[in-house]
Amino acid sequence: MDSYHDETILIKTYNILRLLAEILLLILKIIYYICEDIYKLIVPPKKKSVAGEIVLITGAGSGIGKELAIGYASLGATVVCWDIDEKTNNQTMNDIKKMGRNSVYAYRCDVTDKEEVFKVAEKVKNEVGDVTILVNNAGIVFVKSFLNQTLDEIARVIDVNVTSHYWTLKAILPRMIEKNYGHVVAISSITGLASGPYGTVYGPSKFAVKAIMEAISEELRILSKGKSSIKFTTVYPTFVQTGFAESKIRFSWLGPLLPQKAAALIINAQRQNCENKSLPSIVLPGSKLMRLLPDKAFKCILDFIDISAYPEE
């Protein structure tokens, strides 16, 4: 009995010491990654080249999507433009060709139609090659109070802003996983960090983009046992002057951004392998700190910053 008792004590002691060692290691890792992030703020990571990459951009016919297409083309990438509006999409392609960049292709694609997404993705694979950078940029917004949103408007926002991500990822990601190479970029919004009035559908749709990207990147990390080389970047821009809605921002340094400026910052975030990037940069860490405050204090800060959009109605 004494031998059994002594052995039990040894096992318990060992387990406690092991747990303490794991906790210590965890603390050291946390400190290391905090220092790493601080270092990156002071010395930004070197931008990787995108020359020769095949970049597929949804919603490339106008706004940020068009500027992303132009930006990637100017850096030597092969650009594949997707948009439901064939006319504006072809215009983006032609504008890029006028720059002397001929490695650009335009395909009409309704990203909410899963059959069409898979069909056009297969066409891109056969005619251009395997997509190595997927930019899920397509988005739509109706700036209205919840009671004034029609059922069709609600469904349309969810289909374009959320569901389409699943279809493009299902169509493009398997080949990236097979080659263990690629990068997925998703355009969320600062309303995906903190929603406000007149964004009862748009805001949650952008929260969903954040959740999709976090879940898929974590799933790949676990399933590959940390060996996946596929990168994920989620970007949270402030209001951008795309013509969707008129915004009200108390402090001009918070926006609104011109599409060209937003696109340049998004491309930089992708080239630096940022997992999450807000535009401007202070918004993301600021929102994390604000979430530590009591809910009423958090709302007081939102009132002070006073960022909102004017409703359409």
Side-chain angles (χ1 to χ4, degrees):
M1 290 293 295
D2 289 342
S3 177
Y4 174 79
H5 180 69
D6 291 343
E7 184 178 347
T8 302
I9 292 175
L10 285 173
I11 292 173
K12 287 183 177 180
T13 302
Y14 170 77
N15 289 335
I16 291 171
L17 291 174
R18 181 176 178 178
L19 177 61
L20 290 173
E22 289 179 357
I23 292 173
L24 177 60
L25 180 60
L26 175 62
I27 292 171
L28 291 174
K29 284 182 178 180
I30 291 171
I31 294 172
Y32 171 81
Y33 289 124
I34 290 173
C35 292
E36 183 182 60
D37 268 12
I38 293 173
Y39 177 78
K40 286 179 180 179
L41 286 174
I42 300 170
V43 184
K46 183 180 178 181
K47 298 173 188 175
K48 63 184 181 182
S49 173
V50 293
E53 302 284 357
I54 298 178
V55 186
L56 192 162
I57 302 165
T58 66
S62 60
I64 295 177
K66 179 171 185 173
E67 297 303 329
L68 285 169
I70 292 171
Y72 275 112
S74 66
L75 291 170
T78 295
V79 175
V80 178
C81 302
W82 279 16
D83 203 289
I84 194 171
D85 188 328
E86 188 172 14
K87 182 178 179 180
T88 59
N89 202 40
N90 286 336
Q91 185 60 56
T92 296
M93 177 180 67
N94 293 332
D95 288 347
I96 291 173
K97 286 185 175 181
K98 288 177 183 177
M99 296 164 46
R101 303 286 182 176
N102 293 316
S103 293
V104 55
Y105 304 82
Y107 297 85
R108 184 201 177 278
C109 185
D110 179 357
V111 291
T112 68
D113 184 332
K114 58 180 179 294
E115 284 81 12
E116 187 170 334
V117 168
F118 288 112
K119 180 181 177 181
V120 178
E122 185 65 23
K123 192 174 183 181
V124 169
K125 179 181 177 182
N126 294 331
E127 296 179 356
V128 185
D130 290 320
V131 173
T132 56
I133 301 175
L134 169 63
V135 184
N136 278 321
N137 162 76
I140 189 171
V141 60
F142 297 102
V143 186
K144 297 180 178 181
S145 64
F146 177 69
L147 294 181
N148 285 331
Q149 296 256 6
T150 68
L151 298 180
D152 286 342
E153 287 172 343
I154 292 171
R156 183 63 180 164
V157 169
I158 298 303
D159 285 344
V160 175
N161 294 6
V162 183
T163 310
S164 67
H165 285 249
Y166 288 107
W167 307 150
T168 57
L169 285 166
K170 289 288 282 185
I172 303 299
L173 189 58
R175 186 58 175 159
M176 289 185 178
I177 293 174
E178 184 180 331
K179 298 173 69 175
N180 195 26
Y181 183 84
H183 202 133
V184 178
V185 181
I187 310 303
S188 179
S189 166
I190 60 168
T191 61
L193 300 172
S195 287
Y198 311 117
T200 51
V201 182
Y202 181 75
S205 76
K206 292 303 183 177
F207 268 95
V209 169
K210 177 178 183 292
I212 291 169
M213 291 290 280
E214 287 181 355
I216 286 188
S217 61
E218 183 63 9
E219 184 171 281
L220 274 188
R221 185 182 72 86
I222 296 299
L223 293 179
S224 69
K225 297 180 180 179
K227 295 180 180 179
S228 175
S229 296
I230 300 169
K231 307 298 182 183
F232 293 85
T233 297
T234 308
V235 184
Y236 309 88
T238 184
F239 289 109
V240 179
Q241 295 178 7
T242 56
F244 273 130
E246 187 179 352
S247 60
K248 178 180 69 172
I249 302 178
R250 181 176 184 181
F251 302 104
S252 60
W253 54 271
L254 285 172
L257 291 170
L258 292 171
Q260 299 94 321
K261 179 65 174 179
L265 294 172
I266 291 166
I267 292 172
N268 284 344
Q270 180 268 316
R271 293 180 65 195
Q272 293 174 326
N273 290 331
C274 297
E275 290 185 27
N276 293 280
K277 184 73 173 181
S278 61
L279 310 178
S281 298
I282 194 174
V283 171
L284 186 57
S287 69
K288 290 179 179 179
L289 290 173
M290 286 165 61
R291 288 293 183 185
L292 298 175
L293 299 173
D295 289 341
K296 290 183 178 179
F298 176 65
K299 291 175 182 178
C300 283
I301 294 175
L302 291 180
D303 289 342
F304 174 74
I305 298 173
D306 194 18
I307 298 179
S308 61
Y310 293 105
E312 296 174 12
E313 71 267 10

